Amino acid sequence: MGRYIIRRLIQAIPVLLGSTLLIFATVFVLPGDPIAALAGEKRADPTIVAILREQYHLNDPFFVQYWNYISGVFQGNFGRTFANVEVSEIMAGKFQVTLNLAMTALILEAIIGVGLGLWAALRRGKATDSAILASTLVLISIPTLVTGFVLQLILGVQLKQSFGIDFFPVAGISEGWRSYLVPGFVLAGTSIAYLTRLTRTSLVETLRADFVRTAVAKGMSRRRVVGRHALRNALIPMVTYLGADLGTLMGGAVITESIFNIPGIGQELFRSVYERQQPVVVGIVTILVLVYILANLIVDLLYAVLDPRIRYE
Amino acid sequence: MKKTATDVLPAEGGLGNDPLLSVEDLHVEFATRAGLVKAVNGVSYTLSAGETLAVLGESGSGKSVTAQAIMGILDMPPARIPKGAIRFQGTDLLKLSEEARTQIRGRRIAMIFQDALSALNPVFTVGWQIGEMFRVHQGMSKRDAEKKAVELMDRVRIPAAKQRVHDFPHQFSGGMRQRIMIAMSIALDPEVLIADEPTTALDVTVQAQIMELLAELQRESNMGLILITHDLGVVADVADKIAVMYGGRIVENAPVHDIYRRPAHPYTKGLLESIPRVDLKGQDLYAIKGLPPNLLDMPTGCAFHPRCPYRQDNCVTSVPELYEIDPNRSSACHYWREVLDGTDE
Ligand SMILES: Nc1ncnc2c1ncn2[C@@H]1O[C@H](COP(=O)(O)OP(=O)(O)OP(=O)(O)O)[C@@H](O)[C@H]1O
Ligand SMILES: [Mg+2]
């Protein structure tokens, strides 16, 4: 197992290199001069621009720049912005905010998605089942932007004005964990729908398996047959989906954070692309890639825990 | 007061002369998109303690469905039991509540399935799965249940049971897995054991060992054994009597030796003639002509008539009842005498 983890981490290196190179190149070819942008509307003094360009190695060939950057990353140094702030410093606090958001989304996804999926599976073919399936379709087809603004309006404005209920903050993060509830739900929206469907299918299939029939023949109660024998097997694809989704949720935070004005890395990424803060953009993407890789590794390890037929050497 | 299911259950040991288990005129049908599948159309057989009944018949003849009806593990719907009775020590199981049936299932009537790999849960150790019988039904502690599991694994002769109790089903060979199924099914000393083609998925040498094990366990515990198979060769050694099924009906009931010597139904006769025989080596194997009946649209009269060499006009119009040949034998053929006489002693 330990050797497997090490091998997987080594395999992750080319993935990390490839994806950062790609993003580095993309940022490199973006039009506009970051140093000029630094000066804002005014025209910058050409001598200062030349000094700054030298200082930030902007005149070096592309691969040299990339090499300087990536070797820094491997030493935990994400470089400095053009305004001379440590990139890692910018990311540190914001990463935590986005992680909070993504974890909230993940927890909501797990509770709602699994709950609805199980409910639908146990009422297969009945009205409840159809209603749940239909609502997942609706959830999948509505863009995040729409759910975001609609919920903001209903929960943040109407609920407060009509009923005086102010439980769901819909902007900023000043209310602690409660601030993350609505944005988390919006972020998780489509994932909830997919997980619901996956859970339902998975349990329905498992309930048809021979070993479920064996459990019934052993005289086990329906509760035990479903809750122990079937669910334990149905769990495997569900957990896999949930784990892999953590990366997706962190990446998807860009839109949600802008809607709800949440100061996470999504918002920061958006601004940095706009301001051509090359080091920040690459830094954030690198972190996101890392999260993806780690999440997938954890999923694979969980897989082996849940399914004894899988062994990693 | 909590109502216990045992209040309504048949007493252990049985009542007087009632057979241990008797299936009476059982009908099972499935509502499917294509229509009503009449899988079982009036099956009757009986089983006494210590007796082995072999249920024989080609694929689709309703052997498994009958067994599942006895166990009460049919999914209803789509299955329906419009008619019939399944008496276990005198009590009609079909009239019991689901709760009462759960009490009987696994404890007093147990079942072994064909493919042990898919019939065992892949994510639990075999010890857990065998031990579950004791934990759930007898409230035993984890440790005691595991000890019991090891004992049972020893009893079905799984080598190194003590170490292997923590292994998962996929870590065993096919024969060993079927032994685990058997261990699980006999855990609570059931009075009836139904084995649905327990050896079909195994290779020949292992088949013989498993059959031997079943026979031995049955002798030790005096349970009634229903052995479902389409392998006539297996049957001769272990069965006391045979019920032959065709199109969801019993076509012949007989003690095992009678049936081999003188079948009383054309279908049984055909089955026997299709067994490969050493003395007829080199000749073409006999095969019953035609196809099994379509359960959605059964032939009129005797279901076997389209394939029967003895067919007369009335076979097409009237359904033959099970004619009694002698107290132990019956045949659902209008012309059973001709069939009997047509076989050399
Ligand atoms: N759930 C179901 N829905 C519809 N039809 C079914 C269902 N289960 C069984 N049947 C039908 O009932 C008939 C009898 O099936 P059964 O499994 O009892 O046959 P069998 O005699 O055990 O055959 P085999 O030797 O292949 O196991 C088959 O034609 C089958 O298609
Ligand atoms: Mg069968």
Side-chain angles (χ1 to χ4, degrees), chain B residues 111-176:
Chain B
M111 185 158 176
I112 303 169
F113 299 96
Q114 175 175 337
D115 179 4
L117 181 59
S118 62
L120 290 167
N121 197 321
V123 302
F124 296 116
T125 64
V126 299
W128 187 94
Q129 294 186 60
I130 300 173
E132 188 182 28
M133 297 300 283
F134 299 102
R135 292 195 311 276
V136 172
H137 289 294
Q138 302 186 334
M140 217 179 251
S141 75
K142 256 187 168 157
R143 275 187 59 188
D144 292 345
E146 193 181 294
K147 247 186 241 152
K148 283 283 204 176
V150 174
E151 279 172 33
L152 276 166
M153 285 167 72
D154 267 331
R155 191 159 162 218
V156 297
R157 288 196 289 279
I158 292 173
K162 208 168 189 142
Q163 287 84 51
R164 304 220 64 187
V165 72
H166 298 297
D167 284 354
F168 291 92
H170 71 273
Q171 292 166 300
F172 291 84
S173 67
M176 286 299 146

Side-chain angles (χ1 to χ4, degrees), chain B residues 63-65 114 196-197 228:
Chain B
K63 307 180 297 288
S64 300
V65 172
Q114 175 175 337
D196 190 352
E197 307 195 26
I228 298 172

Side-chain angles (χ1 to χ4, degrees), chain A residues 209-221 224 228-230 232-233 236 306-311, chain B residues 68 71 73 102 105-106 109 113 118-124 128-129 132-133 135-137 168 170 181 184:
Chain A
D210 283 356
F211 60 79
V212 167
R213 189 188 54 188
T214 307
V216 177
K218 281 165 85 179
M220 299 301 143
S221 64
R224 195 175 166 86
R228 277 301 243 164
H229 288 262
R232 181 63 180 63
N233 280 272
I236 299 170
L306 287 176
D307 190 342
R309 284 164 297 186
I310 292 170
R311 278 276 157 269
Chain B
Q68 285 162 14
M71 285 303 289
I73 56 174
T102 307
R105 226 178 265 148
I109 306 181
F113 299 96
S118 62
L120 290 167
N121 197 321
V123 302
F124 296 116
W128 187 94
Q129 294 186 60
E132 188 182 28
M133 297 300 283
R135 292 195 311 276
V136 172
H137 289 294
F168 291 92
H170 71 273
M181 263 317 280
M184 204 157 73

Side-chain angles (χ1 to χ4, degrees), chain B residues 30-32 37-40 57-66 68 74-75 78-79 114 196-197 228-230 245 295:
Chain B
F30 295 93
T32 67
V37 176
K38 299 195 166 175
V40 176
E58 64 194 343
S59 195
S61 56
K63 307 180 297 288
S64 300
V65 172
T66 307
Q68 285 162 14
L74 285 167
D75 280 327
Q114 175 175 337
D196 190 352
E197 307 195 26
I228 298 172
T229 175
H230 28 210
M245 287 189 69
L295 298 179

Side-chain angles (χ1 to χ4, degrees), chain A:
Chain A
M1 193 73 127
R3 282 181 56 188
Y4 173 76
I5 296 176
I6 292 170
R7 210 177 64 212
R8 280 291 301 265
L9 287 176
I10 292 173
Q11 279 169 357
I13 293 174
V15 177
L16 195 64
L17 286 179
S19 50
T20 47
L21 181 66
L22 206 67
I23 192 72
F24 205 85
T26 317
V27 176
F28 206 84
V29 298
L30 277 181
D33 185 339
I35 304 297
L38 207 58
E41 295 296 308
K42 287 181 290 177
R43 266 190 69 86
D45 181 340
T47 38
I48 299 181
V49 170
I51 293 170
L52 282 175
R53 287 194 71 89
E54 191 57 39
Q55 188 182 334
Y56 286 103
H57 304 288
L58 290 180
N59 296 329
D60 291 352
F62 169 72
F63 277 103
V64 174
Q65 286 193 39
Y66 175 70
W67 177 250
N68 285 338
Y69 177 75
I70 202 68
S71 48
V73 166
F74 277 103
Q75 293 157 32
N77 174 15
F78 285 87
R80 288 166 172 272
T81 67
F82 298 116
N84 213 12
V85 184
E86 285 277 348
V87 171
S88 44
E89 218 164 273
I90 293 179
M91 289 196 301
K94 305 208 155 147
F95 181 77
Q96 186 60 47
V97 169
T98 301
L99 196 63
N100 289 348
L101 179 63
M103 287 312 280
T104 311
L106 200 69
I107 292 169
L108 287 175
E109 180 186 343
I111 295 172
I112 302 173
V114 172
L116 285 181
L118 293 185
W119 195 16
L122 295 179
R123 297 269 180 289
R124 181 164 49 104
K126 306 231 170 76
T128 321
D129 182 24
S130 317
I132 291 175
L133 283 183
S135 46
T136 58
L137 274 183
V138 172
L139 209 52
I140 289 172
S141 49
I142 300 181
T144 313
L145 218 54
V146 177
T147 24
F149 285 128
V150 167
L151 281 181
Q152 212 166 27
L153 193 68
I154 295 177
L155 296 176
V157 182
Q158 309 251 347
L159 207 61
K160 190 147 62 175
Q161 283 175 356
S162 315
F163 302 99
I165 298 173
D166 188 16
F167 184 75
F168 298 109
V170 289
I173 52 163
S174 55
E175 304 288 324
W177 64 273
R178 277 199 292 132
S179 318
Y180 293 105
L181 281 182
V182 179
F185 179 79
V186 170
L187 177 56
T190 39
S191 298
I192 289 177
Y194 283 120
L195 185 64
T196 302
R197 298 179 81 94
L198 178 71
T199 304
R200 177 189 178 277
T201 314
S202 175
L203 187 64
V204 166
E205 297 245 306
T206 315
L207 283 174
R208 279 201 210 108
D210 283 356
F211 60 79
V212 167
R213 189 188 54 188
T214 307
V216 177
K218 281 165 85 179
M220 299 301 143
S221 64
R222 166 123 184 111
R223 203 194 169 87
R224 195 175 166 86
V225 170
V226 175
R228 277 301 243 164
H229 288 262
L231 196 56
R232 181 63 180 63
N233 280 272
L235 218 55
I236 299 170
M238 284 149 60
V239 169
T240 313
Y241 181 80
L242 265 174
D245 213 32
L246 180 63
T248 316
L249 289 175
M250 301 243 346
V254 179
I255 295 174
T256 318
E257 286 179 1
S258 349
I259 301 175
F260 292 95
N261 191 25
I262 290 173
I265 48 167
Q267 214 179 37
E268 184 61 35
L269 184 64
F270 193 75
R271 187 170 54 224
S272 305
V273 171
Y274 191 73
E275 291 177 0
R276 296 222 47 206
Q277 293 283 5
Q278 224 186 80
V280 182
V281 174
V282 183
I284 290 176
V285 173
T286 309
I287 292 284
L288 285 178
V289 170
L290 265 177
V291 170
Y292 256 99
I293 291 172
L294 282 182
N296 278 307
L297 177 60
I298 291 171
V299 165
D300 284 350
L301 295 180
L302 263 181
Y303 209 83
V305 173
L306 287 176
D307 190 342
R309 284 164 297 186
I310 292 170
R311 278 276 157 269
Y312 296 127
E313 255 89 67

